[in-house]
Amino acid sequence: MKVNDKFGSIWDELPRKTEKKIPETQAEAMDLYQAAEASITSSTMKIWDSHNDMMAKSAELRKISARKKAIERQTLQRREESRELMQQAAEEAAKRSKELEAASLKHSDHA
């Protein structure tokens, strides 16, 4: 929402369909003043409502972003753990392979 900050007189503050005539009595002047004040109050409330909505959306986006980062961290951690397990399994397989090779060489030497 764009806020218009170009108000220069009470006429600018009045609701759009208000007749712009100079008040002739104090009662008309008070009515004009109250209409302008009500318009400003309404605009201010709309601005605050818009601000509060944006703050709520921002908070929701921060929650989503934090959740996404947590999921990414968990995924990376699981990948690292899987990589370590695969490496251990490969080392154990290589070790068993060497042991079997050594055992088969001993067996062939005895034959």
Side-chain angles (χ1 to χ4, degrees):
M1 174 180 174
K2 186 175 179 184
V3 177
N4 186 356
D5 60 354
K6 304 290 185 214
F7 296 129
S9 72
I10 195 168
W11 304 112
D12 296 331
E13 302 291 345
L14 291 172
R16 294 185 191 268
K17 295 181 180 178
T18 304
E19 185 180 339
K20 294 185 178 181
K21 69 173 192 131
I22 297 174
E24 296 176 5
T25 65
Q26 187 171 359
E28 288 178 357
M30 283 302 294
D31 289 343
L32 183 68
Y33 173 79
Q34 289 171 351
E37 186 176 40
S39 176
I40 290 172
T41 301
S42 175
S43 295
T44 302
M45 291 299 114
K46 286 179 186 174
I47 291 168
W48 274 110
D49 288 344
S50 177
H51 169 76
N52 290 337
D53 289 344
M54 290 301 292
M55 294 302 289
K57 288 177 185 175
S58 179
E60 185 63 28
L61 288 173
R62 279 194 302 275
K63 285 180 189 176
I64 291 169
S65 177
R67 255 186 272 145
K68 181 180 174 187
K69 287 179 183 178
I71 290 170
E72 288 174 354
R73 277 194 306 269
Q74 289 175 349
T75 302
L76 288 174
Q77 184 179 5
R78 287 182 186 138
R79 277 189 197 153
E80 188 62 33
E81 289 171 358
S82 295
R83 192 174 294 132
E84 289 174 5
L85 289 173
M86 299 272 281
Q87 186 176 2
Q88 288 175 357
E91 288 172 358
E92 288 175 10
K95 183 179 175 182
R96 272 186 265 138
S97 176
K98 285 182 184 179
E99 289 172 355
L100 287 173
E101 189 178 311
S104 69
L105 284 177
K106 283 185 184 179
H107 182 59
S108 66
D109 285 345
H110 290 297

